[in-house]
Each structure stands twice: as C-alpha cells, then as structure tokens.
Amino acid sequence: MVLEETLRFDSAEGADAFIKYLRKKGCKAHKKTVAGFFETIELEGTIDNFIAFLEDLLEREDDEEEEDWLDDEEEEEEEEFDRDAVEGRLEKLKKARARLENILGSHGEGDVLFTEADLDRHGDDLFEHMAQAVFPVMQQNLKELGIDLPPREQRREVADEEVEEAGIFLAVFDILDDNKLLEKDKEGNYRLVRKIPVEQCRVKMSGFGLGGPDQEELDSWEISSCTNIVMDSQHEVVMEGTVVVEFSVDDIEEGLIGLDVDAESLDAFYSAFEMKRLAVMALFEVVGGAGRISFEDLRERLKGYMVQSDVVEEPVKVTLEEDFLSSLVTDLRKLGYLAGSTENIRLAR
C-alpha cells in the first residue's frame, strides 16, 4: 500500500508508546521486529604511523584548498574532511604517545600503572562534562516542542584541564589494553604485564571525518581498514495511510516526544510523508472539484497539477503516474476516503 508508512525505534517500549498514541488519534498501527545495522570504517596501525598519516592529511588539505583543484561536482562526491576533528585527534594522539613513552620508560613488568578508582574518576569526569554540554541543547529542543525540562542538577564543576586529562588518560588506557599490556589484579589495580617500544603500540581509529582515504593510500602508511558492522534488532511501527491523510507534522512530533526513534528512519519518514501528503491533497482537490471523475480523466488532470491548498507555502506542481495513482486510489478507497467505480470516483466524506 503506497500510503502505508513506517518508523523504527531502538526499543520495544518506544514503539509500543507510539502505537498507543496513534491508535488514540484514530490511526491503526502494528509493530514488527526488524534487523538494524550500523556501519563504520575502523582503521588500525601503529601510533607513529597514525601521527604521520594525520599530519600528511592536514598538509595535503592545505595545498588542495590553495589550489582549489576540485570542481563542485567532485566536491559533492568526496567524503567530508573535518579539519577540526583531525587536528583534535592528532593533538590527542601526540599527547597520548608522550604519556605512553613516559609510562613504558619508567615502569617495569608487574608495576601498578592505574587503579580502578583512577579509571572510574576519569570516566566520570568525561561523562559529567559531556552531560553538561549536551543538556542545554536537549532542553532547547524540547522547549521548541512545548516541553519545559527542569534544570539539570549539576553534580560538580569539571574544569577544562580535568576534561583534557581524562581524555588523554582514557586514550592511553585503551591503547595499553588493546595491545594487551595491562592486567587487572584482585585488588582492582592495573599492572604492566609486558613492555614494548612505544612506536610498536597499535591504535584503532574511526575513519569518520578523514575525507575517505583509499586503501592504496592507507597501505603506504601500513594502516589497515575494516568495515565494522554492528547488527541489532529494531522495532518498526507500521502505520496505515490515515497517518498521511489526517496527521500533521506537529501531530507526529507530539507523539514522538521522549521516544527513542531512529534518526535516519525519522528523516526518511518525514520526506515520504510530505510527498504523499501533496499527492493526497492534489487528488482530493481534483476529485472534490469535479464531484465525480473517471480514473482516466483523473490521471490526465494530475499531470503537472498545481496544488491549490493554502497549506503549501510555495507553488508546487505534482504529477501522479498511472501505477502510483492506481495504488493511491485503491488505498483511499480501503480507508473510506473515496467511493464509486473506476468511471465515477468521488469523495466518500
């Protein structure tokens, strides 16, 4: 059915809450479990090779900006290069390397490097900082939807120096752990179990923001790439066409407040929702104006038809091709919005 729409949620509870909302407003809906996939590119190489690679990326990006050698079409096809993110990663990696060199040079096998309390403290610092940064944005977004979120109780101030130290500490911890240089004892202490030269330490990094380097370039820096796919189940809400005919964007947003809807699914939904609403508006205008109309005449009228509704802010012409129009008429008949035979289509309400 062409009017049927779907939305995905990360939890069954979110999907159930949205279905309950839809049904209260007269739209039938049901839930089904579907597969969800999240794909990222993961890079891996030695810490020194990564530092050299990122420095080279920044230098080449500077040269390319000066030469302006990419035309508009090619720029659109290129994966985005995020200079701020790359510079931030490079700076953090250099500081982590210096810290690693100090640790590996001043400790012997069996020495305690960190305690569980150290790990918890730095993790808590980073979490509190992120929460303080994200909360005002979330509060403003909800305010625009008519929801006043009470002020978040700030547990404590986290200084910029503490945030930076937490980031470096956790980066170093992850590198040591990934290289199997750490072992946790019964007391919760993390001990150095073996030593390797710092330049042999391997690190992993997301490919996001690097501008999409090809494998040949990565090979030259002895950096491997792997597609990392996380597979999980999601919960899809399937809605009948009433949602397109009778709901507004505000109605949808009201029903989604506080629910864990999948962002990509929501974008696709809104795009299709607006297009289908235009199709329904155009059809209702033509059929309503004619009183009764044959399918063939309806098809002819809906070729480059200028939508009249004042809901549409700018002039819009729509064309409903035969197969789509046939399915649309069938759906609207089943939902009780249209009546009559193929030769005498009319509004039922």
Side-chain angles (χ1 to χ4, degrees):
M1 300 202 309
V2 295
L3 283 182
E4 186 176 88
E5 271 303 324
T6 62
L7 263 179
R8 291 189 175 194
F9 294 78
D10 293 328
S11 71
E13 292 76 15
D16 290 338
F18 190 56
I19 288 173
K20 185 177 180 180
Y21 171 81
L22 292 171
R23 288 175 177 172
K24 279 185 177 180
K25 295 182 72 70
C27 176
K28 294 179 181 178
H30 66 274
K31 177 183 68 180
K32 65 178 183 179
T33 301
V34 295
F37 306 98
F38 180 71
E39 181 177 321
T40 59
I41 300 299
E42 184 178 82
L43 308 179
E44 182 177 347
T46 65
I47 191 167
D48 283 4
N49 283 358
F50 260 119
I51 289 173
F53 168 61
L54 295 181
E55 288 176 334
D56 184 66
L57 274 182
L58 290 169
E59 288 177 8
R60 285 191 288 113
E61 186 67 17
D62 286 338
D63 293 340
E64 289 171 7
E65 286 178 358
E66 291 175 6
E67 296 172 8
D68 195 25
W69 63 276
L70 289 175
D71 61 32
D72 292 340
E73 182 177 351
E74 287 175 324
E75 283 181 349
E76 290 178 1
E77 293 175 355
E78 289 285 321
E79 287 190 35
E80 185 177 354
F81 179 84
D82 189 334
R83 168 171 287 280
D84 289 341
V86 173
E87 288 178 342
R89 290 191 207 181
L90 178 58
E91 182 182 4
K92 186 175 180 180
L93 211 53
K94 285 181 174 180
K95 290 179 178 179
R97 189 197 188 284
R99 184 76 59 87
L100 283 167
E101 189 168 31
N102 178 267
I103 289 173
L104 294 172
S106 60
H107 291 79
E109 294 180 2
D111 287 354
V112 173
L113 301 184
F114 319 113
T115 67
E116 193 169 23
D118 292 332
L119 186 61
D120 290 342
R121 184 179 73 257
H122 288 301
D124 192 52
D125 284 347
L126 210 56
F127 175 81
E128 183 64 20
H129 171 73
M130 291 173 62
Q132 290 174 18
V134 170
F135 185 80
V137 178
M138 182 173 66
Q139 190 177 41
Q140 180 60 36
N141 289 340
L142 289 176
K143 186 176 182 179
E144 292 174 1
L145 295 175
I147 301 173
D148 290 324
L149 196 64
R152 178 178 180 270
E153 183 179 347
Q154 187 169 305
R155 293 164 53 195
R156 57 189 173 84
E157 286 285 349
V158 182
D160 292 342
E161 296 79 9
E162 292 176 299
V163 175
E164 181 180 359
E165 173 59 26
I168 296 171
F169 176 91
L170 294 172
V172 168
F173 181 90
D174 286 342
I175 293 171
L176 290 169
D177 193 41
D178 287 343
N179 285 270
K180 302 187 185 308
L181 305 183
L182 287 181
E183 186 176 80
K184 186 178 180 182
D185 63 22
K186 295 179 180 179
E187 287 75 34
N189 298 314
Y190 290 91
R191 296 180 180 274
L192 183 67
V193 293
R194 65 188 183 92
K195 297 179 66 171
I196 62 174
V198 65
E199 61 269 17
Q200 292 181 14
C201 288
R202 300 186 67 79
V203 298
K204 295 177 182 178
M205 180 182 294
S206 166
F208 179 77
L210 300 184
D214 58 34
Q215 189 58 54
E216 184 176 350
E217 179 182 0
L218 294 174
D219 287 343
S220 69
W221 295 102
E222 297 182 354
I223 294 174
S224 62
S225 68
C226 176
T227 301
N228 185 25
I229 304 174
V230 178
M231 306 180 190
D232 200 357
S233 61
Q234 288 185 306
H235 305 274
E236 188 171 78
V237 173
V238 183
M239 298 159 266
E240 68 171 10
T242 304
V243 74
V244 174
V245 181
E246 298 191 13
F247 282 54
S248 66
V249 171
D250 288 343
D251 292 329
I252 301 299
E253 290 180 345
E254 179 186 344
L256 292 175
I257 292 173
L259 304 184
D260 54 352
V261 63
D262 178 84
E264 187 175 340
S265 170
L266 185 60
D267 287 343
F269 169 83
Y270 278 137
S271 178
F273 179 79
E274 294 293 351
M275 294 300 104
K276 291 179 183 181
R277 278 178 61 81
L278 284 174
V280 171
M281 285 181 196
L283 186 146
F284 282 172
E285 287 175 4
V286 172
V287 175
R292 294 173 182 269
I293 191 171
S294 70
F295 179 82
E296 285 303 315
D297 288 343
L298 181 60
R299 182 171 64 85
E300 287 299 319
R301 291 281 304 278
L302 289 173
K303 288 182 178 179
Y305 175 78
M306 181 72 74
V307 179
Q308 305 298 313
S309 174
D310 56 10
V311 175
V312 181
E313 296 180 0
E314 298 179 358
V316 176
K317 285 184 179 180
V318 299
T319 295
L320 277 58
E321 297 292 357
E322 183 173 358
D323 286 348
F324 176 81
L325 178 59
S326 177
S327 297
L328 181 59
V329 169
T330 298
D331 285 0
L332 291 172
R333 275 194 179 121
K334 289 180 179 178
L335 293 170
Y337 296 103
L338 293 181
S341 66
T342 303
E343 296 301 317
N344 289 284
I345 300 171
R346 68 180 189 278
L347 297 180
R349 301 182 180 184

